[in-house]
Amino acid sequence: MGSGGAGPVADLSDRDLLALHVAGDDQAFAELFRRHKDRMWAVALRTVRDPELAADCVQDGFIAAFRRADSFRGDAAVTTWLHRIVVNACLDRLRRRRPTAELPEYELADRHDHHASTEVRLDIQEALAALPEGQRAALVLVDMHAVPVAEAALILGVAEGTIKSRCARGRAALAQHLGLTPGARPVEAH
């Protein structure tokens, strides 16, 4: 429960919870964690594609957010601020792990030929691994996690135009690597 008649902590906004945390409330950050852990887990998993590494990234991100809560300026939503911290934790872990992290398989639309779909997933995995980190992060957020361009820009700390160009260059590189013309779809086996 919150203090001073504010009602249950669960009834407060994210901004209010962060302010209470900064002021020393010992329950406020726990509520923020409860609200956002699943979404941050999904972002981390999509970014690093390794459940153990994703768990470490989420932990790193929330510890950083806990410690740096007083740095929240309020110019973005708390969720966007948390996304940025967790994605940065992911990128930091990937950099420490190896220069170009191995990316496990990405899910694709259902295909009739399992063998062919496995080959396509492996080809996409290889193509994603070859992308520069900035392009890969932008594509994972925008194309694979459906984060709006404006929010992805805030998360990665770059301009919206940068996200758009990173996505466009990344898509073109993926298409070239996969032997597709940009905008074309792989031919389905019948």
Side-chain angles (χ1 to χ4, degrees):
M1 293 289 170
S3 58
V9 174
D11 293 342
L12 299 174
S13 72
D14 288 348
R15 286 176 189 264
D16 289 342
L17 287 170
L18 204 53
L20 279 173
H21 167 66
V22 170
D25 185 295
D26 61 354
Q27 296 177 25
F29 199 84
E31 176 61 20
L32 280 172
F33 176 77
R34 186 195 64 73
R35 285 182 190 178
H36 299 290
K37 65 182 164 121
D38 291 341
R39 186 165 184 198
M40 295 308 124
W41 163 257
V43 168
L45 190 58
R46 288 261 189 205
T47 304
V48 301
R49 298 304 297 179
D50 174 310
E52 282 185 39
L53 185 58
D56 291 342
C57 294
V58 170
Q59 179 178 320
D60 291 352
F62 274 103
I63 288 170
F66 182 89
R67 291 178 178 160
R68 298 191 328 233
D70 59 347
S71 73
F72 177 71
R73 296 184 309 268
D75 54 352
V78 172
T79 300
T80 301
W81 178 73
L82 288 171
H83 264 98
R84 179 185 297 166
I85 292 170
V86 170
V87 167
N88 285 336
C90 291
L91 296 176
D92 288 346
R93 286 266 182 170
L94 287 173
R95 280 186 209 112
R96 282 184 293 202
R97 200 172 189 197
R98 60 184 81 111
T100 303
E102 184 179 319
L103 296 173
E105 296 179 12
Y106 281 88
E107 294 176 23
L108 297 177
D110 289 335
R111 296 180 56 104
H112 296 291
D113 182 350
H114 179 70
H115 180 69
S117 69
T118 300
E119 287 179 14
V120 170
R121 282 196 303 269
L122 292 173
D123 288 346
I124 291 171
Q125 172 185 346
E126 180 182 305
L128 278 168
L131 291 178
E133 215 169 69
Q135 289 177 14
R136 184 172 59 217
L139 282 175
V140 166
L141 287 171
V142 174
D143 289 354
M144 297 177 182
H145 200 61
V147 171
V149 169
E151 189 174 341
L154 288 170
I155 291 167
L156 296 175
V158 297
E160 288 182 38
T162 302
I163 294 295
K164 290 176 184 176
S165 65
R166 284 179 180 177
C167 285
R169 286 193 309 260
R171 289 178 196 122
L174 286 176
Q176 182 178 8
H177 184 86
L178 297 170
L180 304 172
T181 8
R185 299 270 184 230
V187 177
E188 294 284 335
H190 293 292

